[in-house]
Amino acid sequence: MKVIHTVKHLKEAISLIKKQNKSVGFVPTMGALHEGHISLAERAKAENEVMAVSIFVNPMQFNNADDLKKYPVTTESDLAMLETAGCDFVFLPTADEIYTANEAPLSFDLGNLDKIMEGKFRPGHFQGVITVVNKFFSWIKPQKAYFGEKDFQQLAIIRMMSKKLHPDIQIIGCPTLRESNGLAMSSRNRRLAESERNDAGIIYSSLIQLNSLKNNHDIADAKSLVIQRIEEVHPFKVEYMDIVNADTLDSLSDWSESTQMRACIAVWCNEVRLIDNIAV
Ligand code: PAF
């Protein structure tokens, strides 16, 4: 496995791969890898001749300086996990390699997609995400790129950006992996105390109740019941919960408005913000 730190070396490696006519499957990450990332990497490996992964904690997508400072960095174990998964190359740049001083985010109209849910509570976050993903796509030119469905809104936004700017890249959404109590795997879970991590199973177990609640409650009541059930467990606080059309992410007020629905939620556990979503 080759570890590449500069854009110059990345472009050289890609040009060699392209000369050999090999297909590239790309998994962008911010490191602190867990089984969820590895499942994306394994899929990229199975479906392409070359598996490429980036590890870059992208400062531009953090709207909260403290969150950036506390984001876990576990580079040594990340590289060991990727080596075991059969990764061909890892792009591990510094921020100076990616951005010029005071670089502005990519100007790309995301319509309503970055104004709702995560976008509403994390202003500028998605512009930061598409800025870095657009750069990676331009340099790596993969045939396929893999993203977890845990970040459901991010996936929709990347599909939108990519359709316009990188129409040849196939965006593959992969199912969320969960811990045994149902908690969605996330790099941020490392910041939870053991008891909080155990209790955080309440998020998923409450969300899946929607599948029965929808038979005898309207959307507003069902949402309130889910939020109430989560907030009964100290110290969890729901920041938002919405039930949306899975394609447009438009908020729904009646179950009959869509056949493909997604329930999306963000929950604070003290200083740690957890997100999750399920198909309803
Ligand atoms: O989902 C993530 O880890 C990040 O948002 C991504 C896609 C790697 C961009 O920095």
Side-chain angles (χ1 to χ4, degrees):
M1 182 176 77
K2 211 166 161 178
V3 181
I4 297 172
H5 297 281
T6 64
V7 175
K8 179 174 177 281
H9 288 149
L10 177 67
K11 286 181 175 168
E12 283 167 9
I14 293 296
S15 123
L16 201 69
I17 291 164
K18 297 285 164 187
K19 271 191 199 132
Q20 295 166 341
N21 265 328
K22 289 187 173 163
S23 60
V24 178
F26 173 50
V27 184
T29 81
M30 297 208 298
L33 301 185
H34 50 70
E35 279 173 57
H37 295 113
I38 298 305
S39 72
L40 306 186
E42 284 172 350
R43 183 147 174 209
K45 179 88 189 164
E47 295 181 355
N48 303 275
E49 287 157 301
V50 173
M51 186 242 279
V53 174
S54 62
I55 298 179
F56 178 60
V57 183
N58 175 28
M60 198 185 266
Q61 71 186 73
F62 284 81
N63 56 312
N64 173 336
D66 202 43
D67 192 25
L68 172 60
K69 217 162 68 197
K70 291 189 177 148
Y71 201 83
V73 175
T74 58
T75 311
E76 215 174 295
S77 74
D78 293 348
L79 293 178
M81 284 164 88
L82 291 174
E83 177 99 63
T84 307
C87 180
D88 296 288
F89 75 84
V90 183
F91 182 45
L92 182 63
T94 59
D96 290 346
E97 196 60 38
I98 302 294
Y99 296 118
T100 53
N102 302 320
E103 184 171 330
L106 175 72
S107 168
F108 185 91
D109 185 8
L110 292 164
N112 198 34
L113 278 188
D114 66 337
K115 318 272 179 311
I116 52 171
M117 300 196 290
E118 288 302 285
K120 188 164 162 195
F121 291 94
R122 301 186 67 190
H125 166 66
F126 287 121
Q127 293 295 342
V129 170
I130 59 165
T131 301
V132 80
V133 172
N134 174 53
K135 285 179 188 256
F136 290 159
F137 281 5
S138 309
W139 296 328
I140 297 176
K141 301 182 179 65
Q143 272 65 33
K144 295 180 182 167
Y146 299 79
F147 295 85
E149 283 183 349
K150 199 206 74 154
D151 296 296
F152 198 75
Q153 190 173 0
Q154 168 173 283
L155 179 58
I157 281 173
I158 285 175
R159 283 192 201 285
M160 186 182 191
M161 178 277 285
S162 189
K163 195 169 166 189
K164 192 103 196 225
L165 303 185
H166 303 278
D168 295 339
I169 302 178
Q170 199 181 334
I171 305 298
I172 314 239
C174 304
T176 303
L177 260 61
R178 298 185 178 278
E179 301 193 4
S180 55
N181 64 352
L183 174 63
M185 285 190 185
S186 162
S187 304
R188 287 189 166 82
N189 294 354
R190 292 169 202 254
R191 293 179 52 204
L192 298 171
E194 198 184 327
S195 61
E196 293 171 340
R197 198 161 171 153
N198 292 335
D199 290 345
I202 190 70
I203 301 171
Y204 180 63
S205 67
S206 304
L207 281 181
I208 54 175
Q209 280 199 326
L210 283 168
N211 286 310
S212 50
L213 286 172
K214 79 176 208 248
N215 299 324
N216 42 18
H217 291 83
D218 63 24
I219 286 196
D221 279 353
K223 282 201 300 205
S224 302
L225 287 167
V226 169
I227 294 170
Q228 189 187 327
R229 184 159 181 254
I230 294 171
E231 293 192 338
E232 270 163 13
V233 182
H234 177 76
F236 295 93
K237 283 266 162 288
V238 176
E239 187 166 65
Y240 71 80
M241 183 202 162
D242 211 350
I243 297 175
V244 298
N245 176 311
D247 293 322
T248 61
L249 303 196
D250 288 338
S251 183
L252 302 176
S253 51
D254 194 281
W255 299 115
S256 63
E257 283 176 56
S258 174
T259 48
Q260 302 289 321
M261 287 179 273
R262 207 86 190 180
C264 302
I265 196 164
V267 181
W268 284 98
C269 175
N270 291 322
E271 313 265 274
V272 185
R273 191 171 181 278
L274 304 167
I275 61 170
D276 201 353
N277 66 85
I278 60 156
V280 184

